[in-house]
Amino acid sequence: MTAPTPPADQIEFPAHKSPLAIFFVVVPTLTIVTIAAAVIQHEMPLYLIALLLLVGGGCIMLAKAAVESLGDVTIDLTGEELVVKRLVGSASYSWSNIESVKTLRPDPTFADIRGEEGTIGIGLFMRNPDKKKEREADAPPDVLIVTRSAEEADKVAKACERISNARRKAMGGGDQRRGGIGSGKPAKAFRKPAVAA
């Protein structure tokens, strides 16, 4: 009988109700409904239907991106990976694939207003074996986990520290085992008396 898996360390960020994100959910949704009604109720040339469907597809992608910034963000720290759960779907990132975790000043997103001072976020910088050139110091993160306003900067900084510690713990276990096996001096000291005997 296997022992139950201990619960993951969890970080929660409550829903961030951004007026900008709400706007970009409502307007594209109304546009999609209008396009569907127009296509169903009226006969149109094929090229016009294709253009409307293209616009509708863009609205769906825009609304999905805005919805993701509205709900709660839950971050699970397990022994093997980092799991980010959002209102729409979730994503997991193996610790071995994460190069570093940093707090940063993110580019504007649906969760904040352009030009807002003090916005802070947590970014993941992923390992890429195909890129041999070093990453630039001001390079954007590969994954932006969460962004918050200046009022929550302390919470974001503490969350980033917890994620970094969890990554070090997950990656450090293997290094310690290799270090213990690789120490040659005690082995030589142990063999000498055996040879002398």
Side-chain angles (χ1 to χ4, degrees):
M1 182 176 175
T2 58
T5 305
D9 188 10
Q10 195 172 79
I11 304 170
E12 292 185 359
F13 286 92
H16 189 72
K17 297 292 188 281
S18 166
L20 188 66
I22 294 170
F23 174 83
F24 279 106
V25 170
V26 173
V27 173
T29 302
L30 292 175
T31 304
I32 293 166
V33 171
T34 304
I35 289 173
V39 170
I40 291 170
Q41 294 177 3
H42 303 285
E43 288 188 14
M44 299 181 185
L46 192 59
Y47 73 88
L48 186 55
I49 292 175
L51 286 173
L52 288 173
L53 291 177
L54 187 63
V55 171
C59 287
I60 290 171
M61 298 299 291
L62 188 61
K64 181 181 179 294
V67 164
E68 287 179 354
S69 66
L70 283 176
D72 297 341
V73 178
T74 303
I75 302 169
D76 289 341
L77 310 175
T78 72
E80 296 79 29
E81 61 186 3
L82 168 72
V83 182
V84 182
K85 300 175 184 175
R86 302 183 186 278
L87 183 62
V88 180
S90 64
S92 60
Y93 308 93
S94 172
W95 292 121
S96 59
N97 291 333
I98 300 174
E99 185 178 300
S100 61
V101 185
K102 297 178 184 177
T103 56
L104 45 87
R105 172 85 188 271
D107 292 331
T109 65
F110 287 116
D112 53 50
I113 298 171
R114 183 176 293 276
E116 183 180 351
E117 291 296 325
T119 303
I120 185 172
I122 301 175
L124 300 182
F125 295 84
M126 310 302 289
R127 297 184 193 279
N128 190 344
D130 297 332
K131 287 187 178 179
K132 296 183 179 179
K133 190 172 73 171
E134 287 189 16
R135 193 190 300 267
E136 295 180 8
D138 59 346
D142 298 299
V143 181
L144 187 61
I145 297 178
V146 68
T147 62
R148 285 296 184 266
S149 62
E151 289 78 16
E152 296 182 77
D154 188 50
K155 181 178 180 180
V156 172
K158 287 179 180 177
C160 183
E161 186 178 351
R162 284 175 65 185
I163 294 169
S164 296
N165 289 339
R167 178 184 169 276
R168 275 194 293 270
K169 184 178 177 182
M171 300 298 291
D175 294 336
Q176 288 172 0
R177 285 194 297 272
R178 284 195 297 271
I181 293 170
S183 59
K185 289 182 180 178
K188 287 181 182 178
F190 177 75
R191 278 197 294 260
K192 281 184 180 178
V195 173

